[in-house]
Amino acid sequence: MEKAKLIIIEGPQGTGKSTLANYLRDNLAGSNLYRLSGQKEKTAKGKALSAKMYDALLSYLEVMQDIPMDLIFDRTFFTEEVYATLGYKEYSFYDVYENLLKRLVHLNYDIYFFNLYLENESLYEERLKRLHHNYQDFSLKNSHDQQFAYYTLSMALKDMYEPFMHIHNLAMDDFTKSYADVERILKIRK
């Protein structure tokens, strides 16, 4: 029996994570979409809360792994690692991140990690105007810094975990082209 897909979409604010997640949900029959925003506590208490939340998420994924349903995640614990690395949090999340990652790659899924980015970074300005939540300040500088941090993280994943995960850096400047790339990668037939 073919493994279910576990699709993780990460990337800076304004790249089109929600847009791609919605597209996949509409085009992968029998899939569930999850949107995670993390928690806003930035102190050491926040680290404990995030560790507990993502531990529960991995436990949930362990329970779900033998159900033939594709799971799509708009952000996961990778965001927590990037935000902590960039100093948006008052703590390092790396030790928790490493443990979560080791658990993730041992799950019985066909795991796809999509790091979204914009080749034309000026598109961030236009896209950030429509965002209305304020967990983290939305700015061109933050999106640029996040783009670099997510790219660095994705390259480290490629070096260490490529046999266990399919890792893709996906330009989201042109949604139509991006959708076609994702359809090819995930072998979506329309």
Side-chain angles (χ1 to χ4, degrees), residues 6-113:
L6 174 57
I7 302 164
I8 299 167
I9 303 169
E10 294 281 356
Q13 306 154 337
T15 50
K17 289 179 302 299
S18 295
T19 301
L20 179 60
N22 291 339
Y23 179 81
L24 288 173
R25 173 60 190 98
D26 291 341
N27 289 280
L28 279 173
S31 63
N32 278 349
L33 170 58
Y34 304 83
R35 287 211 157 83
L36 305 180
S37 62
Q39 51 76 33
K40 63 183 177 179
E41 178 64 49
K42 297 180 181 190
T43 66
K45 179 182 174 185
K47 180 178 181 175
L49 292 171
S50 290
K52 184 175 181 179
M53 180 178 81
Y54 290 118
D55 178 66
L57 175 65
L58 269 287
S59 295
Y60 172 76
L61 291 174
E62 289 165 354
V63 170
M64 293 291 291
Q65 67 187 336
D66 296 321
I67 297 173
M69 177 177 290
D70 295 330
L71 306 178
I72 305 159
F73 283 87
D74 179 350
R75 293 197 185 274
T76 60
F77 60 87
F78 296 95
T79 294
E80 187 74 19
E81 173 60 14
V82 165
Y83 280 23
T85 299
L86 288 171
Y88 301 164
K89 307 285 185 164
E90 296 175 10
Y91 52 82
S92 169
F93 193 67
Y94 189 74
D95 57 330
V96 177
Y97 167 75
E98 278 290 298
N99 288 330
L100 293 168
L101 189 52
K102 287 174 186 170
R103 281 179 68 192
L104 176 72
V105 298
H106 287 95
L107 294 174
N108 189 32
Y109 289 98
D110 199 4
I111 303 171
Y112 291 85
F113 178 91

